[in-house]
Amino acid sequence: MLLYWQDIIAVPLTLLIVHLVRRMRGITEPVPMSHLVGTVIAFAVIFEIALPLFSSRLTPDVWDLWCYILGGIIVWLYSRAKKVTSAKTR
């Protein structure tokens, strides 16, 4: 499982960058669920379907797909916990 850590953090890091860009543009709402799901699907399609078709050095891996989903779940849980915490402080 140690070899898959890059795949697990790929979605959270990508959405962190999206979140930071949104804040720089003055958008204070959290990243919507559609962005989260879209990012997981995009990573799966690009890295596990499209790129292996164009290069024989790349192989599709089902475990990578599960790691992208796990990364998405981590982001979702974090954003949900952050909403609960901010609601309690009001």
Side-chain angles (χ1 to χ4, degrees):
M1 191 66 176
L2 185 59
L3 299 175
Y4 290 102
W5 68 272
Q6 299 101 332
D7 298 317
I8 294 172
I9 65 167
V11 172
L13 285 178
T14 302
L15 290 174
L16 174 64
I17 293 168
V18 169
H19 175 71
L20 293 175
V21 169
R22 288 169 54 96
R23 285 183 93 187
M24 287 187 333
R25 292 184 171 197
I27 302 170
T28 57
E29 298 92 29
V31 176
M33 179 62 81
S34 60
H35 284 53
L36 175 69
V37 173
T39 302
V40 171
I41 291 171
F43 270 65
V45 169
I46 292 169
F47 295 115
E48 303 306 320
I49 297 172
L51 290 179
L53 290 174
F54 296 110
S55 175
S56 60
R57 294 179 4 164
L58 300 174
T59 57
D61 184 6
V62 175
W63 288 107
D64 288 347
L65 175 64
W66 287 111
C67 290
Y68 300 144
I69 293 170
L70 177 61
I73 291 170
I74 290 169
V75 171
W76 178 72
L77 289 173
Y78 176 77
S79 65
R80 192 166 170 216
K82 198 171 179 182
K83 283 181 189 176
V84 169
T85 304
S86 66
K88 285 183 180 179
T89 58
R90 289 183 189 180

